[in-house]
Amino acid sequence: MPRKVAIVATGQTKHVAKRTDVNLRELITEAVTRALDDAGLRMQDIDAVMLGNMEPFEGFLLPELWSVEGWGGLGKPAMKFNTGGTVGASTAIAAYYFAASGMYDTILAVGFEKQSEGHTQTAITTVGDPLWERTMMAGAIGNFAVMASTYVHESGVTEEHAAKIAVKSRRNACNNEYAHLQMPNLTVEEVLASPYLAYPVRRLDFCPQSDGACALVLAEESKAKKLARQPAWIKAVATAHDQQYMGDSPKRLADMRSQRAASQRVYKACGISDPVKDLDVAEIYEVATYAELAMYENLGFCQPGQAGKLIDQGVTTMDGALPVNPSGGVLATNCIGATAMIRVAEAALQIMGRAGKRQIPNARLALATGYGGNAWTDALILARE
Amino acid sequence: MSEAHWIVKQKIDIPFQYTPGPALLRFLEGLRGAQLLASGVPGEARKTIPPLSFCGRAWKPADEWTELPGTGVLESFAVVPRAMAELPEAGARVVFGLVKLDGAETRLVHLVRAAQDADLRVGARVKVLWNPARSAAIRDIAGFEVIT
């Protein structure tokens, strides 16, 4: 039987487009020291460190070696992960595995990305098939636009539905002191007036590029109870993979196989039959407005074709039945290697009752997801008990 | 048969820029002024060059600064028996060395000069050579010269 494990502390940097005041190592240290302070721990209390980053988004390889003094890895058991968009959640899940197995009691998980120093679209392009996709369309924006137009056709969502998601995100972000894009007065009309990056995706339909880091402290049951008044217990984790070649999954957003598989696994493990009713809050990895709408369907928040109705009815807004991304989500902040860990951290803060102005009252059960271009999805369920 | 094996060649250019951060910025500005600046945690013996802003061993800010005298020990070296286009100042052959500066715990990699090959040995004393024109970069240091 795996041991019970909880998240007991979190740390984040203030996410912005360019952190030119610090180097990569110093950026990571900010998040790590905040998480340790939050737990009331010293670095020598940490048994092992799990590190997540999407290289070569910084423009060079193995950034963990260069930055090791900044994330506490000197002389400690440590492992580095790179699973693309999901990496922050994969790193948290790896830390969970190590603690649940009995290998280590107190584990630090760290995710980071200083995107301003490399070239993200160049790096993403290398993910595409070198013969068929790289020379045609392999970056994030074109890829999403192609997926979104299929999804629009299948689901009947409109540009207005997408714009409402954009507004929800950037307004929620105003309650999150760490969020990058905070736009308190953003309107649907402004989103609809923003230029197309690639039809049907407009500029304000898409996430920003951010510099930032996030850290978590995970602990097994007896330590967790000492370290946090209300730990965020990890009830279930799942990862699911699909192949990357877009020619073999033509519907992609509309038929997100890895996301359906991962979410169904964690729902089953927790006895969740109606996510909107059973979950109190969700922090999902939505890179674009259309992705969030598609995820409502693929995560079982609504029947196929009903995502537009869900946002029209306000089900996923702050006072709805299932608030999605009170933090502002990825549409407000995307520091890739940290992004999926921020979903986990934000879900944990909700469970711990420490989410400040973005707190959902009495949040007892939370979903966090990580997402990597349809090719893979991570899912975690966090709970008060 | 080898001509039947196609190879598709591509080239990937990765743009890159870099923020040194406050400690390295102070170090680079020091080089412009022909100063070698190391940092450490106040009260701790460990001084690093190039400096760290935060010591991962003590897990404390390393904000105590020391100017090093510019002398040290050659801890290792390599002799490349040809000119390198990237390092024209080295001449017909290039000698790299790892220099542990007096007063620092860490080492700098740089060019090494010696009057004769017999002087090139691990443990040799060296001193810094400055470029007359400096621009807050590591090559403000011309290299390290073996003191005989």
Side-chain angles (χ1 to χ4, degrees):
Chain A
M1 272 294 285
R3 299 195 296 179
K4 279 185 76 176
V5 176
I7 294 163
V8 296
T10 69
Q12 290 184 53
T13 56
K14 162 64 184 165
H15 310 297
V16 296
K18 293 178 199 290
R19 280 296 301 273
T20 50
D21 58 322
V22 289
N23 64 31
L24 176 66
R25 181 170 50 211
E26 292 159 348
L27 177 77
I28 299 168
T29 304
E30 274 185 26
V32 171
T33 50
R34 283 174 188 172
L36 290 176
D37 290 349
D38 194 38
L41 291 174
R42 298 162 305 168
M43 187 51 90
Q44 53 261 47
D45 302 320
I46 297 295
D47 299 324
V49 189
M50 302 296 136
L51 193 73
N53 169 253
M54 174 71 186
E55 64 187 42
F57 282 14
E58 275 88 6
F60 62 97
L61 296 169
L62 304 183
E64 67 275 14
L65 300 181
W66 182 83
S67 62
V68 62
E69 284 213 30
W71 51 267
L74 279 182
K76 283 192 194 297
M79 199 169 274
K80 182 268 188 91
F81 299 86
N82 182 353
T83 63
T86 50
V87 65
S90 304
T91 307
I93 289 173
Y96 165 76
Y97 288 153
F98 276 111
S101 72
M103 186 80 82
Y104 304 113
D105 291 343
T106 309
I107 303 181
L108 176 69
V110 187
F112 65 89
E113 206 80 60
K114 204 157 189 278
Q115 288 197 77
S116 65
E117 301 202 337
H119 197 264
T120 299
Q121 294 314 315
T122 299
I124 291 183
T125 298
T126 65
V127 178
D129 182 290
L131 294 184
W132 319 124
E133 293 172 355
R134 198 178 287 177
T135 51
M136 284 287 163
M137 182 203 74
I141 293 166
N143 218 321
F144 261 98
V146 166
M147 290 193 278
S149 59
T150 316
Y151 173 65
V152 166
H153 175 77
E154 294 266 323
S155 68
V157 298
T158 62
E159 294 201 299
E160 286 75 15
H161 290 132
K164 285 181 180 178
I165 299 287
V167 169
K168 171 175 77 71
S169 159
R170 279 59 176 258
R171 287 196 177 182
N172 283 358
C174 299
N175 293 323
N176 176 3
E177 64 270 35
Y178 303 113
H180 176 180
L181 284 187
Q182 297 167 316
M183 305 168 87
N185 303 313
L186 184 65
T187 62
V188 165
E189 292 70 32
E190 279 175 87
V191 178
L192 294 175
S194 71
Y196 286 117
L197 297 173
Y199 177 89
V201 175
R202 296 178 184 275
R203 186 178 169 81
L204 287 168
D205 282 316
F206 219 73
C207 63
Q209 291 188 22
S210 318
D211 284 357
C214 178
L216 306 171
V217 178
L218 291 84
E220 58 77 33
E221 185 171 9
S222 67
K223 282 214 163 60
K225 285 177 174 167
K226 289 189 194 112
L227 290 170
R229 201 179 314 145
Q230 172 61 66
W233 297 104
I234 298 173
K235 300 297 284 184
V237 302
T239 67
H241 291 248
D242 202 344
Q243 53 72 41
Q244 172 72 12
Y245 178 53
M246 67 176 87
D248 189 34
S249 54
K251 292 188 179 178
R252 292 173 71 87
L253 272 181
D255 177 26
M256 215 179 274
R257 296 181 291 215
S258 70
Q259 187 144 75
R260 287 171 187 270
S263 59
Q264 287 306 318
R265 266 180 236 160
V266 293
Y267 292 163
K268 192 177 173 199
C270 297
I272 293 168
S273 54
D274 180 351
V276 171
K277 201 160 126 267
D278 298 341
L279 292 169
D280 298 306
V281 60
E283 277 286 340
I284 68 171
Y285 196 119
E286 75 334 347
V287 197
T289 54
Y290 292 98
E292 177 162 333
L293 290 163
M295 286 170 184
Y296 289 171
E297 303 180 21
N298 295 309
L299 292 168
F301 298 172
C302 63
Q303 292 299 311
Q306 301 298 304
K309 196 182 282 179
L310 216 63
I311 188 67
D312 280 342
Q313 293 172 347
V315 173
T316 58
T317 55
M318 283 300 281
D319 50 4
L322 177 59
V324 173
N325 293 355
S327 66
V330 187
L331 284 167
T333 304
N334 196 1
C335 27
I336 311 252
T339 300
M341 191 175 288
I342 294 171
R343 306 281 70 71
V344 181
E346 288 290 332
L349 286 170
Q350 292 289 347
I351 295 299
M352 293 191 271
R354 298 180 53 206
K357 284 193 283 181
R358 58 196 184 283
Q359 179 69 47
I360 302 303
N362 204 30
R364 306 186 72 83
L365 202 61
L367 168 72
T369 67
Y371 164 86
N374 288 329
W376 56 94
T377 298
D378 290 347
L380 298 91
I381 300 284
L382 306 182
R384 274 214 206 157
E385 305 298 333
Chain B
M1 284 298 288
S2 63
E3 59 270 28
H5 295 171
W6 285 23
I7 295 172
V8 178
K9 291 189 177 175
Q10 298 180 348
K11 188 177 177 195
I12 300 165
D13 290 316
I14 303 182
F16 174 63
Q17 60 180 25
Y18 176 69
T19 298
L24 286 175
L25 190 60
R26 188 163 169 178
F27 169 71
L28 291 171
E29 285 298 341
L31 295 181
R32 193 203 298 274
Q35 283 185 310
L36 291 166
L37 297 175
S39 76
V41 175
E44 303 252 348
R46 184 189 190 211
K47 306 291 173 203
T48 61
I49 189 166
L52 293 167
S53 55
F54 193 87
C55 174
R57 291 191 199 166
W59 201 255
K60 284 176 185 167
D63 51 5
E64 186 173 76
W65 291 80
T66 314
E67 185 178 351
L68 304 180
T71 53
V73 175
L74 185 63
E75 289 204 338
S76 68
F77 64 91
V79 181
V80 182
R82 61 175 179 84
M84 294 176 74
E86 300 80 1
L87 295 163
E89 67 269 32
R93 65 173 196 177
V94 184
V95 183
F96 295 107
L98 206 52
V99 172
K100 186 167 188 291
L101 284 160
D102 295 336
E105 191 191 272
T106 55
R107 295 137 193 89
L108 282 180
V109 62
H110 220 295
L111 298 173
V112 176
R113 288 167 194 191
Q116 49 192 3
D117 282 0
D119 296 337
L120 273 178
R121 54 181 178 81
V122 170
R125 296 286 300 163
V126 296
K127 69 169 188 187
V128 65
L129 296 171
W130 292 103
N131 268 323
R134 293 187 292 271
S135 59
I138 194 63
R139 278 156 87 178
D140 288 355
I141 300 172
F144 289 89
E145 181 176 41
V146 176
I147 312 166
T148 52

